[in-house]
């Protein structure tokens, strides 16, 4: 309804797509993102939302094309750089992904999602200890970001560092008390801790 009367429908459009995502209607969400971009193809944010929607659906080439278009016009658009870095990581091109993430970290002085991505890249390229350093830096900057604790807990559990896993899963449980998987992980680690 708002889209039909809004003076600037492109401004409202991403909310419509997000509503479809929340309802579990990914195809409708993707169509909405495409519609949004058609309303104002000059807006980098609308390109970003559509690129992210493509990426979530493993349409990486379509996502990459849009991310690169954004960066051609706005070279400091950090989230587009991170989008390209995620695609490079998916292609096992870790050096390129690392370079993009480090540029964002340098430019932004601590973008939390860049730290998380740097951690994932480090882990996939078999640098677990460096990955944990990045994740802990992200936690220091965003102590209520549940995915950070989920990732750290998983790595600590794999490394048999049960005290670390216990702390991470306890915090995750505090942040997501209704999450059954988080409660199960916490119970499992408690059983392994002396």
């Amino acid at each position: 309804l708002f889209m039909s009367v809004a003076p600037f429908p492109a401004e409202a459009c991403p909310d419509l797509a997000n509503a479809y995502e929340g309802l579990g209607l990914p195809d409708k969400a993707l169509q909405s993102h495409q519609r949004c971009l058609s309303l104002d193809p000059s807006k980098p944010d609308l390109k970003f939302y559509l690129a992210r929607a493509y990426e979530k659906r493993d349409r990486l080439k379509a996502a990459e094309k849009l991310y690169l278009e954004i960066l051609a016009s706005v070279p400091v658009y950090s989230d587009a750089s991170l989008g390209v870095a995620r695609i490079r990581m998916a292609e096992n091109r870790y050096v390129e992904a690392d370079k993009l993430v480090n540029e964002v970290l340098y430019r932004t002085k601590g973008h939390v999602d860049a730290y998380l991505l740097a951690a994932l890249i480090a882990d996939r390229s078999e640098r677990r200890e460096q990955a944990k350093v990045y994740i802990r830096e992200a936690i220091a900057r965003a102590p209520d970001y549940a995915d950070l604790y989920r990732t750290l807990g998983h790595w600590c559990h794999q490394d048999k560092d049960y005290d670390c896993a216990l702390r991470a899963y306890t915090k995750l449980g505090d942040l997501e008390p209704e999450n059954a998987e988080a409660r199960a992980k916490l119970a499992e680690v408690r059983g392994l801790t002396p």
Side-chain angles (χ1 to χ4, degrees):
L1 179 62
F2 184 65
M3 283 287 295
S4 66
V5 298
F8 302 104
E11 301 296 323
C13 203
D15 292 330
L16 179 61
N18 291 337
Y20 281 129
E21 287 281 358
L23 290 168
L25 300 169
D27 292 338
K28 285 274 201 188
L30 183 60
Q31 290 167 2
S32 291
H33 284 302
Q34 291 166 333
R35 176 182 173 198
C36 293
L37 185 56
S38 72
L39 291 170
D40 190 348
S42 70
K43 287 198 178 281
D45 287 345
L46 298 180
K47 280 186 185 178
F48 173 77
Y49 297 138
L50 178 56
R52 194 73 179 109
Y54 281 142
E55 186 184 349
K56 286 178 182 177
R57 285 154 190 83
D58 281 331
R59 294 176 60 182
L60 299 185
K61 290 300 174 195
E64 180 182 33
K65 179 180 182 290
L66 289 173
Y67 287 139
L68 293 174
E69 284 178 18
I70 294 167
L71 292 171
S73 61
V74 187
V76 294
Y77 198 117
S78 296
D79 288 331
S81 293
L82 295 179
V84 175
R86 282 190 301 274
I87 291 168
R88 297 291 177 264
M89 182 178 72
E91 298 168 335
N92 299 324
R93 295 163 63 182
Y94 301 125
V95 172
E96 293 172 58
D98 228 5
K99 182 176 184 287
L100 287 164
V101 171
N102 282 312
E103 287 170 2
V104 171
L105 285 171
Y106 178 78
R107 185 171 60 244
T108 63
K109 307 293 185 243
H111 190 296
V112 173
D113 286 330
Y115 275 114
L116 174 56
L117 187 52
L120 295 172
I121 293 165
D123 182 62
R124 288 201 186 170
S125 51
E126 300 179 8
R127 295 178 289 132
R128 175 65 59 87
E129 291 309 310
Q130 181 62 51
K132 287 180 184 176
V133 169
Y134 284 132
I135 237 23
R136 287 187 173 109
E137 185 62 38
I139 287 171
R141 293 168 186 277
D144 294 331
Y145 192 164
D147 283 343
L148 301 174
Y149 297 99
R150 190 179 342 274
T151 302
L152 180 61
H154 175 71
W155 289 340
C156 291
H157 193 177
Q158 281 185 331
D159 295 343
K160 296 181 176 32
D161 183 350
Y162 300 125
D163 288 335
C164 168
L166 181 63
R167 288 190 302 275
Y169 286 137
T170 299
K171 181 63 177 179
L172 178 60
D174 293 344
L175 293 171
E176 296 182 348
E178 303 304 315
N179 184 329
E181 184 180 344
R183 286 195 311 271
K185 292 280 187 191
L186 180 57
E188 182 183 347
V189 170
R190 277 190 178 136
L192 298 168
T193 308

